[in-house]
Amino acid sequence: MSFPNGSVNGDEDILVLADEPISGRVLAIAGCTNSGKTTIAKILTSMVEKSYRRNGSSPSFFYNYDAKSAVNHEKMILAIKAGSLSYDYVIVEGNMLTEWTDVIELCDRVVFLTLDQDTCRRRRVKRKYDPPDVPGYFEEVVWPAYQQHLQRALAIAREDRRISFLDVTSDTDHADPEFMLSLIHSFSDDVIRICYEPLNVDEAVNPSCGATSVFVGTTRDTFAGRRVTRLDYESYDEMAYKELRRLCGLIRSKFPSVERIVIWHRIGEVAVGETSVIIATASPHRKDAIHATEMAIDELKRVVPIWKKNKGCQPQGVLVETDGETNECKVVMIVTNVADD
């Protein structure tokens, strides 16, 4: 890849003015090995890709190409900046992109592809690598490294809305372009977030559709006869994203007219009156939008691994923690003044 403002050619330096503003939009495609990152990149652009890998430190019997030390980080950063100065769109592809905060900061959007272990292993053994994988490399390096990258990406996504997740697991032994293209189309129209920050319902409405049905869930001030001061939400993010994507697919199969689906769920502490979940479906037909939203909230509560606990005070000043499903209470703190909570 070459740029008017610099070049990427062997060991040549890339010339970039540090104070020159980035003008192009940058999309990062991260995630599991053999998940189809390159396939998606080729679908989205005809630009020639360039690798920035180098051999890194590793156990004595193989090079570890799944460690951060295997990437020429400085050269990659300069290439992204140079590309964004010369092109309207830049696509950056790599399994470890979310390991660097400065890479994420350069991106307008980060898509992290996930894959189950069996599919990943099956695809990897059918590919040729130079150098080839040695026995134990997948189990000892590749998969643990992917899990590390995934957990870091999930943690960052709770506070950074630019990161999204797309499960690309399929029965094929390779990333099928038609399958990936169908995922791209659905992904671009579905917005899923699990985050700490407050939710804004205005961002969920699609003005281009004739009907948008919106469900807004808020924290109420009582539960089972007790006063509630807040809800605490916890989530198994990795499975939650997969289930939410699957739910979007189910909605689209049942209501083909739906053009956009938004599912945002807040985690952590949500005070009384604050929004904990927003679901919005947009369609040219109001009945489909209304029924799709109803299906979304029902299925979310039924299958998505997001849990809540009610926290509040009884009249006697005992702060209680209540399981939102079983109504069982346990005392977690004694307070002398309810108003101080």
Side-chain angles (χ1 to χ4, degrees):
M1 181 186 297
S2 62
F3 312 106
N5 296 300
S7 66
V8 180
N9 184 12
D11 294 328
E12 293 181 26
D13 292 331
I14 304 171
L15 305 178
V16 179
L17 296 177
D19 57 350
E20 190 167 354
I22 290 176
S23 57
R25 296 180 65 84
V26 180
L27 168 67
I29 304 175
C32 189
T33 178
N34 293 277
S35 61
K37 297 183 297 296
T38 303
T39 300
I40 287 183
K42 288 180 178 179
I43 291 174
L44 296 177
T45 182
S46 59
M47 294 170 58
V48 178
E49 294 180 88
K50 177 69 179 179
S51 172
Y52 303 97
R53 288 189 175 275
R54 64 187 179 195
N55 291 344
S57 59
S58 62
S60 58
F61 60 94
F62 53 66
Y63 285 116
N64 184 352
Y65 290 97
D66 291 86
K68 291 173 63 177
S69 57
V71 176
N72 191 326
H73 170 254
E74 295 80 8
K75 196 170 185 178
M76 178 173 63
I77 289 290
L78 291 175
I80 295 172
K81 291 181 177 180
S84 65
L85 292 173
S86 307
Y87 296 94
D88 293 329
Y89 298 95
V90 176
I91 296 179
V92 187
E93 178 258 303
N95 61 330
M96 291 179 279
L97 294 178
T98 53
E99 291 294 311
W100 293 281
T101 303
D102 53 357
V103 172
I104 297 175
E105 289 302 317
L106 292 175
C107 299
D108 296 279
R109 186 81 179 270
V110 179
V111 181
F112 193 104
L113 305 185
T114 62
L115 199 63
D116 69 65
Q117 187 172 5
D118 290 340
T119 303
C120 182
R121 182 189 294 106
R122 186 178 69 249
R123 290 182 179 180
R124 190 170 180 97
V125 298
K126 292 182 178 296
R127 292 181 65 175
K128 293 182 179 180
Y129 290 90
D130 183 19
D133 286 355
V134 299
Y137 185 75
F138 179 85
E139 289 76 12
E140 297 178 30
V141 177
V142 173
W143 191 253
Y146 161 65
Q147 287 294 314
Q148 172 188 321
H149 306 327
L150 173 60
Q151 294 308 313
R152 174 173 169 78
L154 289 168
I156 296 173
R158 288 186 167 195
E159 301 183 24
D160 192 330
R161 64 173 59 191
R162 289 172 296 182
I163 301 179
S164 303
F165 299 87
L166 181 62
D167 186 60
V168 294
T169 300
S170 70
D171 296 331
T172 61
D173 291 335
H174 61 278
D176 179 68
E178 291 187 6
F179 172 70
M180 302 302 285
L181 182 59
S182 67
L183 289 178
I184 291 172
H185 285 314
S186 63
F187 178 81
S188 62
D189 295 326
D190 300 334
V191 185
I192 295 173
R193 289 177 54 205
I194 300 172
C195 59
Y196 289 116
E197 67 181 273
L199 306 179
N200 184 353
V201 68
D202 292 337
E203 298 178 8
V205 177
N206 183 5
S208 64
C209 285
T212 299
S213 172
V214 181
F215 171 84
V216 179
T218 58
T219 302
R220 63 179 184 266
D221 59 2
T222 59
F223 181 83
R226 300 182 178 90
R227 185 168 73 86
V228 172
T229 59
R230 69 178 188 270
L231 292 178
D232 281 1
Y233 283 94
E234 298 177 0
S235 168
Y236 176 23
D237 290 7
E238 181 178 353
M239 183 60 67
Y241 276 110
K242 290 181 180 180
E243 289 296 330
L244 289 172
R245 289 288 172 199
R246 186 186 65 83
L247 175 55
C248 289
L250 290 176
I251 291 172
R252 291 185 175 279
S253 64
K254 188 169 184 178
F255 304 101
S257 70
V258 169
E259 296 183 4
R260 186 171 187 254
I261 303 171
V262 172
I263 304 178
W264 294 340
H265 209 300
R266 192 173 169 188
I267 53 174
E269 296 184 0
V270 183
V272 169
E274 292 185 352
T275 300
S276 57
V277 59
I278 293 177
I279 296 177
T281 60
S283 168
H285 311 296
R286 69 179 186 277
K287 288 185 177 180
D288 283 354
I290 292 171
H291 292 318
T293 299
E294 182 180 18
M295 175 181 175
I297 186 60
D298 289 344
E299 287 298 299
L300 185 152
K301 293 175 69 67
R302 189 178 71 87
V303 301
V304 179
I306 298 176
W307 306 276
K308 69 178 179 181
K309 288 185 177 180
N310 300 295
K311 291 194 175 182
C313 290
Q314 293 178 314
Q316 295 81 3
V318 179
L319 181 67
V320 298
E321 183 176 279
T322 308
D323 186 309
E325 301 300 327
T326 64
N327 297 343
E328 294 179 355
C329 291
K330 59 180 180 180
V331 176
V332 293
M333 185 185 300
I334 303 297
V335 294
T336 57
N337 189 339
V338 175
D340 290 338
D341 178 55

